Amino acid sequence: MAAVALRSCRRGLSQILSNGGPAALSSQRLEGARRHKSTVQYASRPDLPKLAYRRVKGKSPGVVFLPGYGSNMNGQKAEALEEFCRSLGHSYLRFDYTGHGASEGVLSEGTIGTWKKDVLYVLDELVEGPQIMVGSSIGGWFMLLAAIARPEKTAALVGISTAADHIVTMYNSLPLEARKEFEEKGEWTLPTKNPEEGLYNFSMDFLKEAENHCVLQSPIPITCPVRLIHGLKDEDVPWHISMQVAERILSPDVDVILRRHGQHRMSERDDIKLMVYTIDDLIDKLTTMV
């Protein structure tokens, strides 16, 4: 019965996405989405910045979306997932890391450890039961770290353009002279592929701290189902990183999906459709297992 309901929901969502995604819904559907759109809430933490989040209550397993570096919870993928989870009746949470979006804090003062703690707080305090974590770009790195730290709260993982260890790997691959120059300067200035985003500036302290959270040097002790989606035209995070993650994860249930024309953001209509279908199948699998 559950599988039948899921397939029915999938067909309905397919019609929505084939018409251009959430942004292209009918005016009536859009008005309904506005009425039911989750509201921003703030989680107060002792001695730590408040975290902004949006939550939809529903069935288990729930879905938690982890955005990329410098991004926030209001992107196309995050909003499409909320609509999907709401239509299916499953719980969903999206949030902003410290220094991102509507959350408190300063982006330049954050570290990989800072944002890992944000994810763990969400799993420990804001959701109930095991979750399907969906990590975009650096969010894919965070989902791995969180799954290792909280296996009991991790039902499955879906990585979108997973950037595991990527900042550290990029820096270490620079010529020695260039690294010496950045070390003397005290920060690494990295141009982005998107002119709108300008430059990324990472301090040497940030890079040193990030090394403590690298996961690709040894087997990754994750045993839940894992799906890794990556575009072959990703100019920010090479697709072979998803292959490396797949090779190192201990789970016997790991799939890598490579999109021939996929780019880093994976926000095209068919990209979002694939992401939603992948999560749909995982919910079906996890529900059937129970």
Side-chain angles (χ1 to χ4, degrees):
M1 183 66 72
V4 173
L6 283 167
R7 284 194 292 271
S8 176
C9 175
R10 182 183 301 169
R11 286 195 293 271
L13 191 66
S14 177
Q15 293 174 355
I16 293 171
L17 292 170
S18 64
N19 290 326
L25 295 173
S26 67
S27 58
Q28 182 179 0
R29 183 70 180 257
L30 265 176
E31 189 59 37
R34 290 193 190 101
R35 284 199 301 270
H36 297 292
K37 187 175 181 179
S38 60
T39 57
V40 177
Q41 302 180 64
Y42 293 88
S44 296
R45 303 178 294 170
D47 302 320
L48 290 173
K50 291 181 180 179
L51 289 182
Y53 66 96
R54 294 177 180 266
R55 178 170 59 190
V56 174
K57 294 184 178 181
K59 299 180 292 187
S60 293
V63 177
V64 174
F65 183 76
L66 311 180
Y69 176 80
S71 187
N72 59 59
M73 60 178 167
N74 296 321
Q76 288 177 286
K77 296 188 291 293
E79 295 198 341
L81 275 182
E82 176 169 319
E83 183 177 341
F84 167 68
C85 289
R86 190 187 294 278
S87 69
L88 198 60
H90 279 258
S91 67
Y92 176 68
L93 187 142
R94 49 185 167 126
F95 72 104
D96 290 333
Y97 309 120
T98 297
H100 291 67
S103 288
E104 293 182 344
V106 180
L107 175 62
S108 60
E109 296 177 0
T111 65
I112 300 300
T114 298
W115 301 319
K116 173 186 172 181
K117 288 180 181 178
D118 292 345
V119 180
L120 296 183
Y121 178 85
V122 166
L123 294 178
D124 292 340
E125 305 294 338
L126 301 182
V127 298
E128 296 180 1
Q131 304 292 310
I132 298 175
M133 281 188 279
V134 183
S136 177
S137 191
I138 201 172
W141 187 359
F142 300 151
M143 83 178 179
L144 297 173
L145 294 171
I148 294 169
R150 299 289 189 273
E152 73 283 0
K153 298 300 293 280
T154 308
L157 302 177
V158 178
I160 311 294
S161 309
T162 300
D165 300 6
H166 185 49
I167 295 173
V168 174
T169 303
M170 276 199 303
Y171 182 76
N172 290 338
S173 66
L174 293 173
L176 181 58
E177 291 183 1
R179 276 182 283 162
K180 286 183 177 179
E181 181 180 337
F182 288 126
E183 287 169 7
E184 291 175 359
K185 183 181 177 183
E187 68 175 6
W188 176 31
T189 301
L190 177 66
T192 65
K193 297 294 189 297
N194 187 346
E196 297 177 0
E197 297 176 356
L199 299 173
Y200 290 148
N201 295 305
F202 299 111
S203 69
M204 292 301 109
D205 288 340
F206 176 94
L207 292 166
K208 185 175 181 180
E209 195 274 345
E211 291 179 348
N212 298 326
H213 303 285
C214 289
V215 297
L216 294 179
Q217 302 95 332
S218 58
I220 303 174
I222 292 173
T223 57
C224 66
V226 178
R227 304 292 180 263
L228 301 166
I229 303 172
H230 218 124
L232 294 180
K233 294 188 181 299
D234 189 335
E235 296 183 352
D236 294 286
V237 179
W239 59 265
H240 66 73
I241 291 180
S242 285
M243 301 298 292
Q244 290 177 299
V245 172
E247 290 170 357
R248 287 162 176 74
I249 283 182
L250 297 181
S251 172
D253 186 1
V254 180
D255 291 334
V256 179
I257 305 168
L258 299 177
R259 291 190 59 75
R260 181 178 178 183
H261 299 294
Q263 300 183 22
H264 182 65
R265 291 181 180 274
M266 295 293 285
S267 292
E268 297 297 322
R269 180 188 64 198
D270 288 341
D271 297 332
I272 292 177
K273 186 187 299 185
L274 173 61
M275 175 187 67
V276 168
Y277 288 175
T278 300
I279 296 166
D280 188 346
D281 286 335
L282 281 171
I283 291 176
D284 195 2
K285 179 185 182 73
L286 294 168
T287 304
T288 303
M289 287 171 59
V290 174

